[in-house]
Amino acid sequence: MDLLKREREAITNNEFVEKFDFEEIEEFVKSASKDLFISYKFANSNKMLVQPRGGFPTYEKVFKLYEEFIKAGVDVLPLTIDSNTRLNDYATAKKMLELSEESDIDMLNGYPLIIHGYKTTRKMVTHFNTPVSLRHGTPDARLLVEVALASGIFEIEGGPITYLLPYSKNFPLDKAFLYWKYVEKICALYSKFNEPINRESFGPLSATLQPPVIVIVIQLIEMLLSLEEGVKSFSVSFSQTGSVIQDIVTANVLKKLAREYANRFGFEDAKIHLVYHQWMGAFPYNKVHSDALITTATVIAALVEADKIITKTRDEAFGIPTKESNAQAVSSVQYTLKILNGLPKIMDDEEEEHLTSMVNSVMEAILNDKADTLWRKVLNTIKKGYLEIPFSPHIINANEVITVRDQNQNIRIYERGKLPISDKDFEYEKSKIKIPKDKTVVEKIIQDINIML
């Protein structure tokens, strides 16, 4: 028995998990409908795929949510996991699911996949015969991903950086790298049985004034960590910044460099996709303004030629959206995309050259670290403070980079900390910033965070 097989058996031998039949699961994946694979849909669709957010604790509510999404014309279904499962607290997830089912009151903020199990969840997934994307935020997703793949969920979001630094305070980063290495191996293994399993990185990060250079570097790192384990289909992503031109520049540079770095490391056969998240910050309370924000984001997604858009709803400011609100958002985005034809290709050569220079500077600093593996190079870089995520709560995060918006709402680097960008590039960033004399930097940051309110 090889080491990976022993590790898989140890991980799935859990008191809260039904007995894993690896042979049956392998046969299921081999014979699964190609319509369940988003990688197949990417390859055979001539339109941008639309995926909403959404999740409830009970099977029945998720089933009804999916029915609403299908009627609205969804392309990819979401499965959002509850917070207890994300923290590997399956005992509490089990108890809260029982209370949710007894009282019909949602005691969890998502679907406890481990507790429902793969046999039950697979019935729902195969019934709708539509790709499902696993959305979770879990530093240790080994068991969760095993159950997801056995359920027929063939897109796995996250990564050791994007699902740790924005979400966690104390979880060890070195363990996250090793746990996600396991996830990549399993996704690569299952990719041999049918269409490729698609991995997707979480580009919004903390969703708070994230400079594109940091977003892109982390996307490239998580892509390379995935591809080096044998994954053949990967989605890089980012979220709406608040500046149309910055979104376009970010998309152009991200697509270009993702392909370049994949090829540089010998992954020419990997399929790379671009995902665009609608606004991830604070939403306006005025629902008409929310509708306008969502439509604007949809237009931007079309301009950047995203392969998939992840939607928001007009009710974001008021709590967890209803299934009707979520379905309405899907229908609205699909309609907007349908009427957006023949859009021009927009570029800003100066900004793209500047952003490319910054990304390459940080990437070279990472790759020049003396560690023997990529994940150790990245770990060392983060420990030294050369790479960080602004507004991350994690104790390892340097939190020295300060960002504000310029007069065109582009996110700029005001203080670079130890971020290894050139003096020339930093001066370019600083030259674009004008902080009003009657405002402190903190007041400017707060204003810039709440730009859409």
Side-chain angles (χ1 to χ4, degrees):
M1 186 186 297
D2 64 29
L3 181 61
L4 180 60
K5 187 174 181 180
R6 290 201 301 270
E7 190 176 1
R8 295 184 73 192
E9 290 184 351
I11 288 169
T12 55
N13 184 20
N14 184 292
E15 64 176 303
F16 296 100
V17 178
E18 59 199 316
K19 181 174 175 55
F20 256 63
D21 185 340
F22 286 108
E23 290 185 5
E24 186 278 333
I25 294 168
E26 181 176 326
E27 288 304 313
F28 160 70
V29 176
K30 286 179 178 177
S31 62
S33 167
K34 294 189 182 302
D35 291 330
L36 291 177
F37 293 84
I38 192 173
S39 59
Y40 179 81
K41 202 154 193 171
F42 278 137
N44 293 277
S45 178
N46 59 2
K47 67 177 289 293
M48 188 188 309
L49 304 184
V50 176
Q51 176 192 309
R53 288 178 166 82
F56 295 102
T58 66
Y59 180 98
E60 290 74 19
K61 285 189 176 181
V62 174
F63 194 97
K64 290 177 181 177
L65 174 68
Y66 285 1
E67 286 181 324
E68 291 288 333
F69 282 149
I70 295 295
K71 285 188 288 186
V74 77
D75 296 305
V76 185
L77 293 165
L79 191 69
T80 302
I81 303 302
D82 69 285
S83 296
N84 295 112
T85 300
R86 297 180 189 201
L87 297 173
N88 311 109
D89 182 3
Y90 310 129
T92 301
K94 185 176 187 293
K95 181 179 180 181
M96 291 299 104
L97 174 60
E98 291 170 352
L99 291 173
S100 298
E101 291 172 335
E102 291 170 5
S103 65
D104 200 34
I105 297 173
D106 295 338
M107 302 299 290
L108 293 167
N109 61 347
Y111 184 85
L113 176 59
I114 303 294
I115 305 304
H116 282 292
Y118 71 85
K119 293 176 183 176
T120 296
T121 305
R122 187 192 292 175
K123 293 176 184 177
M124 176 162 55
V125 171
T126 54
H127 171 83
F128 289 103
N129 198 35
T130 300
V132 178
S133 181
L134 184 72
R135 327 299 289 188
H136 50 114
T138 314
D140 180 4
R142 293 173 297 171
L143 179 59
L144 180 63
V145 169
E146 287 278 15
V147 176
L149 293 171
S151 303
I153 299 168
F154 298 140
E155 176 172 82
I156 308 297
E157 187 192 37
I161 304 171
T162 61
Y163 266 9
L164 179 73
L165 294 189
Y167 289 93
S168 175
K169 180 180 180 181
N170 297 309
F171 196 98
L173 181 57
D174 55 350
K175 286 188 176 181
F177 277 116
L178 294 174
Y179 294 159
W180 276 91
K181 192 177 184 71
Y182 175 97
V183 169
E184 310 299 1
K185 287 180 183 291
I186 300 306
C187 289
L189 175 66
Y190 277 98
S191 294
K192 298 175 182 177
F193 301 151
N194 201 319
E195 297 294 320
I197 306 300
N198 191 66
R199 285 278 293 106
E200 179 180 314
S201 183
F202 181 66
L205 305 180
S206 71
T208 309
L209 293 180
Q210 298 300 305
V213 57
I214 287 177
V215 172
I216 293 175
V217 166
I218 292 174
Q219 292 303 290
L220 298 179
I221 289 167
E222 291 199 340
M223 176 192 73
L224 292 173
L225 289 170
S226 186
L227 299 185
E228 72 177 8
E229 297 300 334
V231 169
K232 299 298 184 184
S233 180
F234 195 91
S235 296
V236 292
S237 75
F238 74 103
S239 62
Q240 185 177 5
T241 64
S243 161
V244 176
I245 191 61
Q246 190 165 54
D247 286 353
I248 293 170
V249 168
T250 300
N252 290 345
V253 173
L254 178 54
K255 285 190 285 187
K256 177 185 70 174
L257 292 184
R259 188 71 268 166
E260 286 183 8
Y261 277 92
N263 292 352
R264 174 178 168 182
F265 283 84
F267 307 122
E268 294 90 349
D269 60 339
K271 303 296 182 184
I272 302 170
H273 319 284
L274 178 68
V275 176
Y276 183 77
H277 292 253
Q278 292 184 337
W279 182 248
M280 292 287 286
F283 252 69
Y285 287 95
N286 185 318
K287 293 187 179 183
V288 174
H289 293 172
S290 291
D291 290 339
L293 178 55
I294 290 166
T295 300
T296 300
T298 307
V299 174
I300 297 170
L303 285 170
V304 305
E305 300 178 326
D307 297 298
K308 183 175 77 171
I309 183 171
I310 301 180
T311 63
K312 286 284 194 165
T313 77
R314 69 199 316 252
D315 293 333
E316 294 295 326
F318 303 97
I320 298 175
T322 63
K323 64 180 186 297
E324 292 81 12
S325 177
N326 257 314
Q328 181 189 45
V330 170
S331 180
S332 173
V333 169
Q334 291 282 29
Y335 176 78
T336 304
L337 290 174
K338 186 174 70 172
I339 62 177
L340 289 171
N341 298 305
L343 295 177
K345 176 70 174 178
I346 301 174
M347 299 180 70
D348 185 323
D349 291 338
E350 181 183 32
E351 287 288 348
E352 288 181 27
E353 181 180 347
H354 166 65
L355 180 54
T356 300
S357 173
M358 288 197 293
V359 172
N360 283 334
S361 293
V362 180
M363 287 298 292
E364 288 309 306
I366 294 169
L367 297 173
N368 288 334
D369 184 88
K370 294 180 181 180
D372 58 344
T373 59
L374 178 57
W375 76 264
R376 286 189 174 93
K377 291 176 185 286
V378 180
L379 176 63
N380 290 343
T381 304
I382 294 172
K383 280 182 174 180
K384 294 172 184 175
Y386 295 167
L387 181 63
E388 62 167 276
I389 295 177
F391 300 97
S392 161
H394 202 280
I395 57 173
I396 202 172
N397 197 69
N399 279 316
E400 293 179 0
V401 172
I402 297 175
T403 52
V404 295
R405 296 186 183 276
D406 66 17
Q407 291 177 312
N408 294 319
Q409 307 304 345
N410 298 299
I411 298 169
R412 299 291 184 184
I413 297 173
Y414 180 75
E415 293 288 352
R416 62 177 162 177
K418 298 184 185 70
L419 190 69
I421 58 175
S422 69
D423 292 341
K424 177 184 176 183
D425 285 331
F426 182 49
E427 288 306 316
Y428 182 90
E429 290 282 292
K430 292 278 285 185
S431 71
K432 301 293 183 179
I433 299 171
K434 300 287 188 295
I435 296 181
K437 293 181 180 179
D438 62 340
K439 275 190 169 53
T440 65
V441 174
V442 172
E443 289 171 335
K444 180 75 165 69
I445 290 171
I446 293 171
Q447 177 187 12
D448 292 343
I449 290 171
N450 295 319
I451 184 177
M452 297 301 180
L453 296 183

